[in-house]
Amino acid sequence: MSSTARGRHELAEIGVLAHLFEDKEKIMTDRSNEQVDPRGAIKDPDEWVTGDEPPTAAQESYLHTLAREADADVPADLTKAEASKRIDELQAETGRGQ
């Protein structure tokens, strides 16, 4: 391959790379401009697929912390969904999570 042909080939490669970079920048910019519905990630605990399961360890721990602060009892045998609702109630009572 002659040096002229090699130079044209290298320039073509640079052009392709520049085009790909511009496309990536445009995609990244477009994504950052998207409006996200903050309610989209929040689902009613009654609609949880795993809502009937026992609460997670984190839920139990936080629930007991809030109950202690609110001088409230934690019912035994809560489901994951019930624990979530009780956490919301206790957060409102204690002023946490706001």
Side-chain angles (χ1 to χ4, degrees):
M1 180 181 291
S2 72
S3 63
T4 304
R6 190 174 33 242
R8 280 192 296 240
H9 181 71
E10 288 173 355
L11 285 175
E13 285 180 352
I14 291 169
V16 168
L17 291 174
H19 180 70
L20 290 173
F21 180 76
E22 287 172 6
D23 285 348
K24 182 178 179 183
E25 286 290 310
K26 182 179 182 301
I27 290 169
M28 292 175 75
T29 301
D30 288 348
R31 284 186 186 157
S32 66
N33 291 333
E34 290 178 7
Q35 295 296 319
V36 178
D37 183 356
R39 297 168 298 161
I42 300 171
K43 196 173 187 179
D44 184 338
D46 290 330
E47 297 176 14
W48 292 356
V49 174
T50 59
D52 291 333
E53 294 178 1
T56 64
Q59 279 181 309
E60 286 185 339
S61 175
Y62 189 45
L63 186 56
H64 285 280
T65 298
L66 289 170
R68 217 174 14 259
E69 288 181 14
D71 196 28
D73 293 325
V74 177
D77 299 325
L78 288 176
T79 65
K80 191 182 288 188
E82 292 167 338
S84 178
K85 291 177 192 177
R86 188 67 182 129
I87 287 169
D88 290 344
E89 293 167 0
L90 291 172
Q91 281 181 326
E93 285 182 37
T94 61
R96 277 192 175 224
Q98 306 210 2

